[in-house]
Amino acid sequence: MAKRLMPLLNRVLVEKIVPPAKTHAGILLPETSNKLDSGKVLAVGPGLRDKTGNHIPVAVKEGDTVLLPEYGGTTVKLGEKEYHLYRDEDIMGTLHD
Amino acid sequence: MAKRLMPLLNRVLVEKIVPPAKTHAGILLPETSNKLDSGKVLAVGPGLRDKTGNHIPVAVKEGDTVLLPEYGGTTVKLGEKEYHLYRDEDIMGTLHD
Amino acid sequence: MAKRLMPLLNRVLVEKIVPPAKTHAGILLPETSNKLDSGKVLAVGPGLRDKTGNHIPVAVKEGDTVLLPEYGGTTVKLGEKEYHLYRDEDIMGTLHD
Amino acid sequence: MAKRLMPLLNRVLVEKIVPPAKTHAGILLPETSNKLDSGKVLAVGPGLRDKTGNHIPVAVKEGDTVLLPEYGGTTVKLGEKEYHLYRDEDIMGTLHD
Amino acid sequence: MAKRLMPLLNRVLVEKIVPPAKTHAGILLPETSNKLDSGKVLAVGPGLRDKTGNHIPVAVKEGDTVLLPEYGGTTVKLGEKEYHLYRDEDIMGTLHD
Amino acid sequence: MAKRLMPLLNRVLVEKIVPPAKTHAGILLPETSNKLDSGKVLAVGPGLRDKTGNHIPVAVKEGDTVLLPEYGGTTVKLGEKEYHLYRDEDIMGTLHD
Amino acid sequence: MAKRLMPLLNRVLVEKIVPPAKTHAGILLPETSNKLDSGKVLAVGPGLRDKTGNHIPVAVKEGDTVLLPEYGGTTVKLGEKEYHLYRDEDIMGTLHD
């Protein structure tokens, strides 16, 4: 069973970050506090070519924490773990502390 | 929990300006005085590339007050605050006193 | 409350001209004499870039009297006055005496 | 009331030619002898720019007699007269004796 | 009444060839022997410009016998005769003995 | 009646290969053994031009055996024989022993 | 009966990898462990040309193990074996141990 997936074109492999159900102080977070998920970038594709052959690199890099769109993305299981593939133009932004 | 969102491509992070329910003189403003919202630009993405690789910067900048379209935009919660992400071509114009 | 709106991209801010209900001689004009509205251009956006980066200025300028399309346009209230925003490619033509 | 309309982009202002109901010899022409109308070109817009900035002039000129498409076109009233605006790519051809 | 039509852009003026109902030997041809019509090219437009201004001439010329698509085309009556206008990219091919 | 058809643009004239109902050993082949038809290329068009005027030749040549798509294609009768016209981008591949 | 298929344009010929129903230790794998199939690349087309004539090679090569999309692809039977044809931009990524 293959363990590593190298995305193609401008696809981005992401592992979703599951927000804690409770805050450190134990307060139950409202389940729908944020419809948008966030995730960690595990791997990115080589990027695209525009209409005249210029290379367009992917807009995020391995290790980035990203804000994911509400819809779209493809679920991929590698071994027992579940990951998600997005096209980079669908990723909303990068998250920073 | 991440506190800062850097938009990608030509996205614009906006905090909506909630119009006062009453004028200074206390007169109740009609609720539907203006269907269009306005907002403050908090952050902008790096922009897009056109079909032949030219860079197209975002049309607004941090600190601008902008007129928002009636529809579209994505709601984003960072901590307890609610923001909105728009593509820059959907923003109608900049507002000035 | 903002008083001035600077349109973005190829948008055009227009104040509609309300045709007189009666001619100078007092004859009641048929209400549907012309389905198309006309209006005065108050402000224009900076224009667009084509696919290879060339700048395309807006086709009309401040002060022009223009023939507006039957549909489309966005209503914008600034203070108590109502204006309309159109994309310049939707404006049919300029009117001259 | 404005008397002259200068079309924008690749629009063409046309006055329709109403075919005679009877031939010179008085024979009643079948009402649907030709679904396509023809018309006289009164004014043309400045034309368009293609994707790389080249200017594309309008394909017909003032004074041409043209064959109009069955559908499309916008009715415009200037004073008491009715005219029609077409995009030049919708005009089928020029008519010659 | 105009007698000659000069097509615009990449349009082609065609006179349909009505296949003989019977072969020379008098055998009745099955009515649906070929769903596709053929026709004679009477006139062609000046052609199109591609996105970067290159001229693209029409693919057929006056006098060609062409295989017409099953659908599309516009009927045009000039005097008492009926002709058809096609865009050149819809014409399937040229027919040769 | 025309005997030869020269396809236009990137069209390809194909004569379908009807697979034998039985193998050489007389075994009846399941009727739906392969939904995809194959055929022999009889003639190809001159090809297309891309957006900037470069010539794009047709991807197959006369004599090739090709794998045809499940849908699409236009039936053409020349004399008593039936042929099919495809756009070259719809042809799946070339078949080789 | 043809034995070899050379894909055209940016098509990719793939033989699907059927995941073992049981692990080596004999544990029955849940039937829907991964909705996405994987497969072995047998042959690739010559690639595409972009709008300005640049050649764009196919993103995968013969021998690669690839992650296939949930939908799309065309089933092709060559002899008694079943293969699948995909456009290269629909292939999600390459799989590695």
Side-chain angles (χ1 to χ4, degrees), chain G residues 14-18 37-40 68-69 72 82-84 86:
Chain G
V14 170
E15 186 172 11
K16 284 196 178 177
I17 297 168
V18 182
D37 289 338
S38 54
K40 197 90 175 169
L68 301 170
E82 196 169 270
Y83 303 98
H84 293 80
Y86 291 90

Side-chain angles (χ1 to χ4, degrees), chain D residues 45-61:
Chain D
L48 289 176
R49 290 198 174 283
D50 71 15
K51 304 269 180 196
T52 52
N54 299 305
H55 176 236
I56 307 174
V58 171
V60 294
K61 62 185 183 316

Side-chain angles (χ1 to χ4, degrees), chain C residues 14-36:
Chain C
V14 170
E15 186 174 7
K16 283 196 178 177
I17 296 168
V18 182
K22 291 184 186 169
T23 62
H24 297 298
I27 303 152
L28 205 67
L29 273 169
E31 194 265 317
T32 59
S33 77
N34 196 343
K35 280 177 297 173
L36 295 189

Side-chain angles (χ1 to χ4, degrees), chain B residues 51-72:
Chain B
K51 304 268 181 197
T52 51
N54 301 304
H55 175 237
I56 307 173
V58 171
V60 294
K61 61 183 183 321
E62 206 178 304
D64 278 351
T65 305
V66 290
L67 185 68
L68 301 170
E70 218 177 327
Y71 306 105

Side-chain angles (χ1 to χ4, degrees), chain B residues 14-24 29 31 33-34 36-40 65-66 68 81-84 95, chain C residues 1:
Chain B
V14 170
E15 186 174 8
K16 283 197 179 176
I17 297 168
V18 182
K22 292 183 184 170
T23 63
H24 297 299
L29 273 169
E31 194 264 316
S33 79
N34 197 343
L36 295 189
D37 288 339
S38 53
K40 198 90 176 169
T65 305
V66 290
L68 301 170
K81 292 198 77 175
E82 194 168 87
Y83 302 97
H84 293 80
L95 290 163
Chain C
M1 180 85 76

Side-chain angles (χ1 to χ4, degrees), chain E residues 13 18 35-36 52 55 60 62 66 78 84 86 88 93 95:
Chain E
L13 185 66
V18 183
K35 280 177 300 174
L36 295 188
T52 53
H55 175 237
V60 294
E62 205 178 307
V66 290
L78 290 173
H84 293 80
Y86 291 90
D88 83 329
L95 288 163

Side-chain angles (χ1 to χ4, degrees), chain F residues 29-30 32-34 95, chain G residues 1-5 76-83:
Chain F
L29 273 168
T32 59
S33 76
N34 196 342
L95 289 164
Chain G
M1 180 82 79
K3 305 244 174 3
R4 221 158 39 82
L5 170 63
V76 177
K77 287 198 76 173
L78 289 173
E80 282 320 302
K81 292 198 78 176
E82 196 169 270
Y83 303 98

